[in-house]
Amino acid sequence: MLRRKRPSQRGQLTYRQINRLLPFTGAPLFHALQLLATGDSARFHMPGHKGEPLFHTFAEVFAIDFTETYGTGNLYLGDGPIRDAEVAAALYFGAADCFFLTGGSTQGIMAMLAAAVGRGGSVLLDRECHKSVCHACALLDITPYFVSAPLLEPFAVSGELPAQAVEQQLVAHPDIRAVLVTSPTYYGVRRALPALADLCRAFGKLLLVDAAHGAHFPAVGLPAPIAEGADMAVLSMHKTLPCLGQGAVLLSGKGVDRRALRENTALFGTSSPSYPVMASIDLARAYTEGPGRDAYRRSAEACAALREYIGRRTGFTALDETHFPALDPCRLTVCTAGTDATGHRLADMLWSEYGVACEMADDRNAVFILTGADTGASLHRLRRGLRRISARRHETLPPSAAAPFPPAERVMRVRDAWFANTGRVEPAAAEGLVCARPVTPYPPGVPLLWPGEKITRAHIELIRERWYNEIGEITVVIS
Ligand SMILES: Cc1ncc(COP(=O)(O)O)c(C=O)c1O
């Protein structure tokens, strides 16, 4: 944490002096706020705490919690040190432009769809998309078409999106304005963005990428989505970089109307964007561009070593390049199929017996996010926990093949279903009814069924088999 220095006279600390206090340099917004915070001033503006450390531990955060005032910049006007920080981030991520978001990738996904597809338009979606995409479709009355990726065994997570299926949908629905894909997925699978970008270009469509889980890619030598041909992309800085919660960026490529994009971020954002969150986006970028790069490279190496160790010393299976060639090098997906544990059970045992908290679990996987902040001790703890738990699982079962979630028939527009009269029913009673809210195990927050889709017996059976504990009720349309 930064040491806060209160000068005895007005405005003593120069930019250069502040820089010397910082462990690393090159974060213009953070520097500007620190300069203001350490100056001698009386704040008669929001927020009400006036930068005073009411809660002692959070002193530094409160000190730089400003509003739009002298020297802080205005996010939605795109000026001041916020703009400098955005330009630095755009350069780092190889994008034509960058917009800071304080409402997570959720805000960016909505802004991106509003700008690229607009009210009442159509979009082709990776079925593995986050529920915020569904929310945007409800708000903007967008018609979604879907393409699904086949499942990877034994993980039952989606692999490559078949380009042929994307092309078929683009031919069948010429009203589609943009294609939105998730890359990397929660489980660390990367889509073939350059090929998808070529396809989109050939059909005159925009390629939008939800890279919420991929903000660390440049730090591990992988391109960010715009450099791979995407027109717009969102990255949750808070998910994989040392950034405060809700910090995210929206990136755009050449030819995108930046003013329209900014306006659309405002449509879904608070009018009081958090300065500590924005400053931490700035800091996270400066850190990974500078000293953090080595930490992330080490984290990728540690992840590769863990995958190898899991294959050699445990009965679990780590998702690695032998299963799928393009993976996030810092995401560890551990599959329990073939043992008598579920992913949830493995996660619970790791937490209760070893104090290891995973990011998420499903019925056959536990997922771990590795970052530059991991220590040798924490990695050792994870390795030991996995080995010891595995040693106790005597029973080995033949891994059952995972059935893909059956496609669903759309019988109402997403928006109409969302805003219809609704009621809640148990899954068993939902057959033949129309879904009114996304049916979403969380995490990963990927809807199994969308509003406006008809619920069949096959859906209910699969929900019962794989997500029964997580999905107690389904919200349906009642006429
Ligand atoms: C794939 C994906 N996209 C978007 C989001 C939303 O990101 P945020 O929490 O930053 O709003 C999530 C959140 O988990 C996600 O997993």
Side-chain angles (χ1 to χ4, degrees):
M1 247 326 187
L2 298 170
R3 235 177 312 118
R4 182 151 181 247
K5 189 171 169 196
R6 273 231 180 263
S8 54
Q9 288 165 23
R10 190 169 273 269
Q12 298 89 336
L13 285 186
T14 64
Y15 227 85
R16 187 174 294 178
Q17 285 169 321
I18 292 278
N19 271 344
R20 264 194 245 121
L21 292 176
L22 291 170
F24 45 85
T25 59
L29 172 59
F30 186 75
H31 291 184
L33 297 180
Q34 274 282 317
L35 191 55
L36 286 163
T38 52
D40 184 25
S41 66
R43 296 194 200 173
F44 290 101
H45 52 67
M46 289 193 301
H49 55 71
K50 310 282 181 90
E52 288 305 319
L54 299 181
F55 310 110
H56 203 69
T57 342
F58 296 128
E60 286 88 357
V61 175
F62 277 90
I64 61 162
D65 193 11
F66 276 88
T67 185
E68 292 77 10
T69 184
Y70 304 105
T72 59
N74 181 314
L75 175 62
Y76 298 118
L77 295 180
D79 64 17
I82 297 176
R83 186 63 194 147
D84 296 341
E86 287 181 337
V87 169
L91 269 175
Y92 175 61
F93 287 115
D97 218 328
C98 170
F99 308 88
F100 279 11
L101 306 166
T102 60
S105 285
T106 297
Q107 182 193 359
I109 282 169
M110 295 196 175
M112 192 158 77
L113 285 168
V117 181
R119 187 178 63 136
S122 300
V123 68
L124 179 59
L125 299 174
D126 184 341
R127 186 78 197 193
E128 182 103 357
C129 64
H130 184 249
K131 62 179 183 169
S132 55
V133 177
C134 173
H135 296 167
C137 290
L139 286 170
L140 296 163
D141 199 16
I142 288 175
T143 300
Y145 297 101
F146 294 101
V147 60
S148 298
L151 299 182
L152 298 174
E153 292 294 353
F155 309 89
V157 306
S158 73
E160 190 57 87
L161 275 178
Q164 214 184 353
V166 174
E167 189 168 347
Q168 274 166 5
Q169 290 283 8
L170 293 179
V171 170
H173 308 288
D175 54 322
I176 287 171
R177 295 187 189 153
V179 177
L180 188 153
V181 300
T182 307
S183 181
T185 66
Y186 224 118
Y187 300 91
V189 168
R190 289 159 48 211
R191 311 287 197 211
L193 295 185
L196 285 167
D198 286 346
L199 195 56
C200 285
R201 221 167 293 121
F203 278 82
K205 314 293 178 192
L206 293 171
L207 177 62
L208 319 179
V209 178
D210 173 355
H213 292 267
H216 59 295
F217 275 13
V220 290
L222 289 172
I226 303 296
E228 292 202 286
D231 295 286
M232 300 177 207
V234 291
L235 281 66
S236 290
M237 300 289 279
H238 69 94
K239 286 195 197 302
T240 58
L241 299 183
C243 174
L244 290 179
Q246 302 183 5
V249 294
L250 171 55
L251 305 175
S252 62
K254 283 202 194 89
V256 173
D257 180 345
R258 44 181 293 251
R259 185 181 289 211
L261 206 47
R262 174 87 74 190
E263 284 165 356
N264 280 302
T265 63
L267 179 62
F268 299 104
T270 166
S271 59
S272 309
S274 159
Y275 278 77
V277 170
M278 291 190 283
S280 77
I281 296 173
D282 191 28
L283 266 180
R285 188 271 313 151
Y287 170 73
T288 34
E289 188 169 7
R293 176 180 279 259
D294 284 346
Y296 275 84
R297 291 263 156 93
R298 282 196 298 276
S299 155
E301 285 164 16
C303 188
L306 265 167
R307 288 173 183 163
E308 192 269 329
Y309 179 88
I310 290 164
R312 199 163 34 84
R313 298 290 303 275
T314 78
F316 304 125
T317 312
L319 178 60
D320 66 20
E321 278 79 8
T322 62
H323 305 103
F324 192 79
L327 293 178
D328 171 352
C330 294
R331 187 65 50 112
L332 180 67
T333 296
V334 181
C335 184
T336 57
T339 76
D340 59 352
T342 63
H344 293 293
R345 182 85 189 102
L346 172 61
D348 289 347
M349 286 189 285
L350 279 170
W351 174 244
S352 59
E353 296 173 30
Y354 299 93
V356 172
C358 69
E359 161 63 20
M360 66 155 278
D362 64 24
D363 64 330
R364 55 172 75 191
N365 303 289
V367 177
F368 305 82
I369 297 179
L370 273 67
T371 77
D374 295 317
T375 62
S378 61
L379 293 166
H380 174 69
R381 205 159 157 170
L382 170 58
R383 198 169 45 232
R384 193 183 52 179
L386 287 169
R387 179 168 44 78
R388 291 193 178 168
I389 291 169
S390 169
R392 292 204 310 261
R393 321 293 319 169
H394 300 305
E395 205 174 331
T396 49
L397 310 164
S400 56
F405 200 72
E409 183 197 358
R410 170 161 304 289
V411 291
M412 278 176 88
R413 294 184 72 76
V414 178
R415 185 183 175 85
D416 292 344
W418 188 289
F419 292 106
N421 284 334
T422 63
R424 292 199 188 91
V425 296
E426 285 183 2
E431 186 182 347
L433 301 177
V434 179
C435 196
R437 298 282 181 276
V439 176
T440 315
Y442 202 91
V446 173
L448 301 170
L449 283 166
W450 276 54
E453 290 180 338
K454 193 163 175 188
I455 306 162
T456 64
R457 173 167 294 277
H459 295 136
I460 295 166
E461 275 167 12
L462 209 53
I463 286 172
R464 189 184 303 134
E465 200 181 297
R466 294 195 58 192
W467 295 281
Y468 201 69
N469 295 333
E470 295 158 80
I471 299 168
E473 285 183 324
I474 298 180
T475 305
V476 293
V477 174
I478 43 177
S479 41

